[in-house]
Amino acid sequence: CLENTDPWTRGRGIQLLSQVLLQCYSLLQEKEVLHLVLFYENRLQDHHLVIPSVLQGLRALSMCEVLSPGLAVSVLKAIFQEVHVQSLLQLDRHTVYSIITNFMSTREEELKGLGADFTFGFIQVMDGEKDPRNLLMAFQIVRDLIAKNYALGPFVEELFEVTSCYFPIDFTPPPNDPHGIQREDLILSLRAVLASTPQFAEFLLPLLIEKMDSDLQSAKLDSLQTLTACCAIYGQKELQEFLPSLWSSLRREVFQTASEKVEAECLAALHALSGCLSRSVLSSDTEDLLDSFLSGILQDCRHHLCEPDMKLVWPSAKLLQAAAGASLRAYHRLTRSVLPLLLEQYTKHTQSSQRRTVLEMLLGFLELQQKWGHVEEDESTLLSLRAPVCSVVFSALTDPSVQLQLVGIRTLTVLGSLQGFLSPSDLELVVDHLIRLALHEEDSQSSEAAMEAAGSLAPIYPKVFSERMVPRLEEELQSGRAEREEGSSRGHRSLQQCCLQALAAVSTHTSIVRETVPVLLQHLRKVQKGSEAGNVQDVVSVCQSLHRVALQCQQDTEGCWYYHQTVVPCLLAMAVQAAVQESTHPLLGKVLLEEEVLAAMVPVISAATTHLSPELAAQSVSHVVPLFLDGEVSFLPQNSFPGSFQPFEDGECLEAQRRLVALLMAFVCSLPRNVAIPQQERLLRELLALSCSCNCPFTATTAAKCFAGLVNKHPAGQQLDEILQLAVNRMEPGLAEGPRRTQALTLLLWVTKALVLRYHPLSSRLTDKLLGLLGDTELGPAAADGFSLLMAESPDVLHKGCHADVRIMFRQRFFTDNVPKLVQGFHRAGPDVKANYLKGLSHVLNHLPKPVLVTELPTLLSLLLEALSCSDRVVQLSTLSCLQPLLLEAPQIMSLHVDTLVTKFLSLTSSPTMDVRIAALRCAHALTSLPTTVLLPYKARVIRALAKPLDDKKRLVRKEAVAARGEW
């Protein structure tokens, strides 16, 4: 074939040889490679039909490690001379780029020996390339030419021209493109070339300035981002000539643009320019370009800062801040002029709205100072302005305008974070203002912001806050309590509540926690001894504050242990005291035994326990478990109780004591998994017995949750199997008949959840039992709601935060195992219990990750549509909330059922239940994301039907109706 006179046949011979070489190039010897290279180079002069196969052979040879010196150069010279690359097909051009890339990675020194001829040869190869796949390779080769210092010689401009002709990239990938090349890939690849060398600056900067003036937003953005990238490698020399034009383009865009994206990129580019000029080292005879550049910016922007009501005030402030934020030198140069001006403007303008604008600008400059941390004596304008800055901020804090107060509080937080700025007397004033705002400001926004600020500043100045703020809060708390007892009130937020919130907010440093926690506990003791009805809410408020402190202590080992050993025994002691008294004197009505109060204590104990080290947790568990099992109270403070504490004993009078199992649950279910629990088997048996036999639903549920929490973390093995078998033996007869079926169902649900989370084999048997109960007329509805409990995140036990054993994708697994059974059960069920299956199904689907749901949608959609016809409000609601995101994420599938969907949604917009009407309107709104051609036949009907809910008696319904109808 190789000697045949017909070029097509010769081409087939070379093609076969090239395919063989591509398989075995690594086995060739040096002499063989030499022989083949000479043959292939010669063939480059052959007929054009042969060339593609010749290039494939050369690609194989370019990967040989035994290539003799000089051959790479010889091959490339031959390609540059003999082949007109741009007349080849895309694949063959790609082969040429591959040969060049291979040689550049293995024969760099040889190629550099060619000097600028190599660069010129490549320019000819690339010139006119249009295919995105090839362009990505070509851009990479140019980057390597520059990065690896190949000689560009007199061809810098030609190399720039051959690449910059593609700027800005205008490429839209064809639909169903198998290559997956995106416009962004090309943009980033070309930008890396253009911003790779200062040698391109004189050609590139005029191009960027021209494209910034383009009407196309994409061209503007690309130019600005490329300019920002260039500033990383340019110096003064490259920029000097173009600075006035660059500044005027950037200023014009920021002053005139309506696009936030363009504005953000302009500010980033200005920041980069300022940074680039800041980096340049000055010699004694060169002009300081940074100084003259910033002077120009000041000249153009400064006067706008004096007009806080005008449109250009914010664009000017942003430009100044972008330039100032680039370096400390730029910051000092600009703030020398800007800060005194802003302080003067604040005093000059008296309206709150104007002052707020001025203070927000001042805040922007102060936040930049944070980047460099402490304030330096000699350099800083800021220190010389300490008194006027503080006076402006303090005046904002006392202004009647809430919005101005909020900016003042933010500014105060920033000033406090600048080391060495606030003097001791200023700090005392700061604390006084924060106390006043937190406690006595009617507006809750200001009050909450002041508390947040106190929490941010307390770790920086712990001594001032613990000595000045905590005692004041304690005094105010006592007077707030007195005010409460006298019956006076000041609106929805009592002084007492504000004090409790402020004490929690400021507890962000261990030394302060040691001051605030005793105050909160002392207050709790006083409140629980009171007798008025509002006491429940008071105790709950204290617990909420304690919970916040616990969360703030968690990351600090010392603070966490102090909190745990102070708060947990104290809460247990108060609760045990109340429960024992209740057992002996049942008529006292103890506030600490209310369900709401116990529920508020649970997160406090849980948060105090989750972050303990295993050693300290073990120390604590050795006291708490014997307290509940054996009444061992010696570790509790004030432990002289009027009777014994035996929550697991039988007897009516011990009902109050049993309720405290909630606190045991909060503690043992939050322990790290590697902490051994003493007498665990006995504890599990007691909890199991209590959950099945107790008449109080709160206690029975808590015992079931505690049992489940322990079972979930219990190591696998015979002991676990025995305790689970015991639980099944207790549940089965309880579920079958008798007065305590509900308790048995609660236990079944929590144990099933505990096992589903850890993929325990028994979980499928228990889930089947639950599925069987859906057909039960008495327990069916509760069993259906139980599917929500199985799938949802539980707030107090069985979640990752309390170290539960939660496997990833347990929801997907539960879905795969059980949804087919639910569907089957639905089809077999009688009409009176069908709704239970639909409710269970909609709960499962509601908690499933949306991508999983979309893939299963075709099989389930008919059932979901049937669920909309169900009269059960819960079924309707959860089905609607399931369908709404699917309309947005799977429009193709949903379009097939548009007729049914429109009918169902419109009929539910007149449901008697407000929540269902709102959900149906949201779904009707979401329908508009389906293709327009699908929707047009229904447009008139929907608009007519949605006129009715516009007059709904509920405002929230009217709001959704307006949005949905407007979209249609």
Side-chain angles (χ1 to χ4, degrees), residues 592-642:
L592 284 184
L593 303 174
E594 296 285 346
E595 284 178 25
E596 202 184 332
V597 170
L598 288 170
M601 289 165 100
V602 165
V604 179
I605 294 176
S606 180
T609 308
T610 50
H611 284 64
L612 287 182
S613 67
E615 304 76 43
L616 295 175
Q619 195 178 321
S620 196
V621 76
S622 65
H623 296 308
V624 177
V625 172
L627 167 69
F628 280 86
L629 286 178
D630 308 313
E632 181 53 67
V633 295
S634 57
F635 82 103
L636 298 177
Q638 299 150 345
N639 54 18
S640 53
F641 301 119

Side-chain angles (χ1 to χ4, degrees), residues 563-593:
Y563 183 93
H564 181 88
Q565 59 177 359
T566 310
V567 173
V568 174
C570 181
L571 290 183
L572 288 172
M574 288 198 285
V576 169
Q577 174 87 23
V580 171
Q581 279 185 352
E582 181 77 6
S583 310
T584 49
H585 310 88
L587 298 173
L588 283 172
K590 289 284 171 287
V591 69
L592 284 184
L593 303 174

Side-chain angles (χ1 to χ4, degrees), residues 306-338:
C306 304
E307 303 163 336
D309 291 335
M310 305 307 275
K311 184 180 145 201
L312 292 180
V313 64
W314 270 114
S316 301
K318 287 175 182 174
L319 286 165
L320 286 164
Q321 286 165 5
S327 71
L328 201 47
R329 193 150 72 94
Y331 180 76
H332 288 320
R333 172 70 189 83
L334 287 174
T335 50
R336 267 207 310 274
S337 172
V338 172

Side-chain angles (χ1 to χ4, degrees), residues 456-599:
S456 305
L457 295 176
I460 309 173
Y461 311 103
K463 193 163 183 287
V464 181
F465 277 85
S466 60
E467 288 175 4
R468 194 168 181 89
M469 191 168 192
V470 178
R472 283 277 301 281
L473 290 173
E474 188 175 2
E475 281 169 33
E476 296 278 6
L477 184 60
Q478 285 168 2
S479 62
R481 215 173 139 261
E483 178 188 290
R484 176 77 186 247
E485 283 164 6
E486 288 160 17
S488 63
S489 164
R490 35 163 246 162
H492 59 288
R493 294 165 67 251
S494 70
L495 176 60
Q496 183 170 302
Q497 249 180 328
C498 292
C499 289
L500 291 171
Q501 287 169 354
L503 280 165
V506 79
S507 304
T508 47
H509 186 274
T510 307
S511 65
I512 301 173
V513 171
R514 289 175 182 274
E515 305 288 331
T516 53
V517 164
V519 174
L520 289 167
L521 292 176
Q522 185 56 36
H523 183 68
L524 184 61
R525 287 191 196 94
K526 287 178 182 166
V527 171
Q528 62 120 1
K529 287 175 184 162
S531 55
E532 73 270 14
N535 259 15
V536 168
Q537 193 44 54
D538 289 348
V539 176
V540 169
S541 295
V542 183
C543 289
Q544 285 167 345
S545 288
L546 283 168
H547 182 229
R548 179 170 176 177
V549 179
L551 295 175
Q552 289 164 185
C553 287
Q554 282 179 338
Q555 302 311 321
D556 172 50
T557 317
E558 182 198 342
C560 185
W561 177 236
Y562 164 76
Y563 183 93
H564 181 88
Q565 59 177 359
T566 310
V567 173
V568 174
C570 181
L571 290 183
L572 288 172
M574 288 198 285
V576 169
Q577 174 87 23
V580 171
Q581 279 185 352
E582 181 77 6
S583 310
T584 49
H585 310 88
L587 298 173
L588 283 172
K590 289 284 171 287
V591 69
L592 284 184
L593 303 174
E594 296 285 346
E595 284 178 25
E596 202 184 332
V597 170
L598 288 170

Side-chain angles (χ1 to χ4, degrees), residues 1 19 37 41 108 279 286 288 352 408 434 461 478 493 577 625 678 690 697 729 748 782 809 816 852 860 864 866 879:
C1 286
Q19 285 174 340
V37 166
E41 277 183 14
E108 187 178 321
R279 280 196 307 275
T286 52
D288 181 358
S352 294
L434 290 177
Y461 311 103
Q478 285 168 2
R493 294 165 67 251
Q577 174 87 23
V625 172
L690 187 58
N729 295 346
L748 171 65
M809 298 175 76
T816 312
V852 181
L860 294 170
L864 284 170
E866 200 166 331
T879 309

